[in-house]
Amino acid sequence: MTKLIRITTVPISLDKLLGEQLRHMNQFYEVTAISADENRLREVADKYGVDSFHVEMTREITPIKDLKALWKLFWFLKREQPEIVHSHTPKAGIVGMLAAKLAGVPIRLHTVAGLPLLEESGLKRKILNLVERLTYACATKVLPNSYGLKQIIIDLKFANPNKLEVIANGSSNGINTKHFSLERILEQDRQLLKKSLEIKEDDFVFIFVGRLVKDKGINELIEAFQKINRNDVKLLLVGNFEHDLDPLLPQTLESIENNLNIIPVGWQNDVRPYLAISDALVFPSYREGFPNVVMQAGAMSLPSIVSNINGCNEIIQHKKNGLIIASKDSQQLYQAMLEFLNNEKLFINLKEKARSNITHLYDQEIVWGALLKFYENLL
């Protein structure tokens, strides 16, 4: 059977970004998942019924560790001789594509699900630009997971446009619209969750899902929410802080701690119950590839307020299934949140269209089918 290698820097990306896609592809190919953190990798591989191989990688610039990872992966690929190596995430991209090229793997694919370098400057930006160009040079095809991201790569001259291809309508994995559905969450469970979080029946609940960091627009979100200043409006924050990698402003952290209408609940394995008790998603991120949470919220019939960046502005059409605001603009974000609160007719109209947009364009079966066909054509 044809061998397919899927690589991410850390196992959580295999689990959360790809998940059941690994099991699905294993019906057609002999799939091996490669990532760091050996114990967690084995758990993820066992969960989806695929083989695994451990290569320790980091999310930071660590040249010595990266060379060790490259060496280990190179010898694994030389031994296994797979037909396809497909990498995701920046560090797995450079290690995976370089090792695959050196090992003579014929089909080398790298999915780009965002460009963290866009928020960097100076020497670090130059290093990251170089790494990105080298990754794309080693790949036979580069797969941006949104059309906006494809254009950014072209504008930055990171790769020849002929090397770039977007699968289906965008997204690395699509979304399981049967799983992400209000029908899957019992009403009694919703009421219990609301009660535990002290959310009243008539409260309007905005929700943010993701890492609670600067690059996700959390500083602007908290600033905008503070201006609303109504006890019948709540803000649910679902996700972890990253104080070391991308810290929030001290005043933002203080507001989160002291404002009783802001409800941080930390990381959740299943975000559906939290989406089910919410009215609208707020996602003012600075940069994305193709954000899963915007698709998840839409599938759960939530309209979204998103920043005008690639991915977000492809899933959301302004005043059709959500609102689009300028990135890093707390005033526009505040005005958009007010519009959801004060313009009931608009809000209901957006809510009614939220799910159908996702099911028609981004259902998982559409994306998986397109990727399988892409593999087959290359082979």
Side-chain angles (χ1 to χ4, degrees), residues 115 117-118 125 146-158 164 288 309-310:
L115 288 170
L117 59 84
L118 293 177
R125 173 63 184 264
S146 77
Y147 287 95
L149 191 53
K150 177 182 177 181
Q151 189 57 51
I152 290 172
I153 292 169
I154 292 171
D155 293 343
L156 291 171
K157 296 181 171 59
F158 280 173
L164 307 175
E288 291 294 325
I309 58 173
N310 62 277

Side-chain angles (χ1 to χ4, degrees), residues 192-226:
L192 284 172
L193 182 56
K194 277 188 174 183
K195 185 177 181 181
S196 70
L197 298 173
E198 299 183 6
I199 295 172
K200 297 183 176 64
E201 194 59 37
D202 293 333
D203 286 347
F204 190 101
V205 181
F206 289 105
I207 184 171
F208 170 88
V209 181
R211 294 177 299 116
L212 304 180
V213 296
K214 183 187 74 173
D215 279 5
K216 293 293 185 182
I218 300 300
N219 290 318
E220 290 81 2
L221 173 56
I222 298 304
E223 183 180 342
F225 185 77
Q226 290 282 84

Side-chain angles (χ1 to χ4, degrees), residues 58-95:
T58 70
R59 292 167 60 190
E60 299 171 354
I61 298 172
T62 50
I64 303 299
K65 291 180 180 178
D66 298 342
L67 284 171
K68 289 180 179 178
L70 176 65
W71 183 252
K72 184 176 182 180
L73 182 55
F74 165 75
W75 283 111
F76 174 78
L77 296 177
K78 284 288 283 185
R79 184 175 72 246
E80 292 295 313
Q81 296 188 334
E83 285 80 3
I84 307 174
V85 170
H86 188 170
S87 62
H88 299 253
T89 67
K91 181 60 68 70
I94 183 60
V95 173

